[in-house]
Amino acid sequence: QVQLVESGGGFVQAGGSLRLSCAASRSTFSTIVMGWFRQAPGREREFVAAASWTGGTTLYADSVKERFTISRDNAKNTVYLQKNSLKPEDTDVYYCAARRAEQVSTTHHDYGTWGQGTQDTVSS
């Protein structure tokens, strides 16, 4: 079972940047699809971005395209989410997730392992 630990969240003003990291516990990380989701209280968990095993296939939610970038370093068992041009509506708890499958998915039910979440707050 892969375990995931997020880091890098915090507080930033609108227009600023944050970089989230998610470290996986197992060396089989390179065979796992990785995703980022976010969730606000009382709302459904929302897809943000996902990357295939090699990082060659990436998907983004329309709301974050051109602002967020997902990348992964399989040698470090780590996936990143670079968030630029942040807006107050990007304030959420961000979760990384792992999916043991070949196909990238935007559906949170397709991911079987989740990190603990990290709170990001963007002030106006």
Side-chain angles (χ1 to χ4, degrees), residues 99-122:
R99 178 176 193 232
R100 188 170 294 283
E102 185 172 342
Q103 190 172 9
V104 179
S105 172
T106 63
T107 304
H108 65 86
H109 293 297
D110 288 339
Y111 291 78
T113 304
W114 293 83
Q116 82 283 4
T118 180
Q119 174 71 53
D120 285 353
T121 301
V122 183

Side-chain angles (χ1 to χ4, degrees), residues 3 11 13 24-25 39 42 46 52 61 68 72 89 97 103 118:
Q3 291 184 324
F11 181 92
Q13 290 187 329
S25 62
Q39 188 171 23
E46 176 188 31
S52 61
F68 291 11
R72 58 191 298 168
E89 51 264 43
Q103 190 172 9
T118 180

Side-chain angles (χ1 to χ4, degrees), residues 44-110:
E44 284 279 314
R45 194 159 292 189
E46 176 188 31
F47 171 75
V48 176
S52 61
W53 297 355
T54 64
T57 299
T58 56
L59 295 177
Y60 294 95
D62 287 343
S63 59
V64 306
K65 278 181 182 176
E66 309 300 330
R67 300 190 298 123
F68 291 11
T69 302
I70 186 171
S71 61
R72 58 191 298 168
D73 185 338
N74 290 346
K76 296 182 179 180
N77 294 346
T78 301
V79 64
Y80 305 97
L81 185 67
Q82 178 66 43
K83 306 192 293 179
N84 299 329
S85 303
L86 283 163
K87 306 174 183 179
E89 51 264 43
D90 294 318
T91 295
D92 266 321
V93 177
Y94 284 76
Y95 298 88
C96 70
R99 178 176 193 232
R100 188 170 294 283
E102 185 172 342
Q103 190 172 9
V104 179
S105 172
T106 63
T107 304
H108 65 86
H109 293 297
D110 288 339

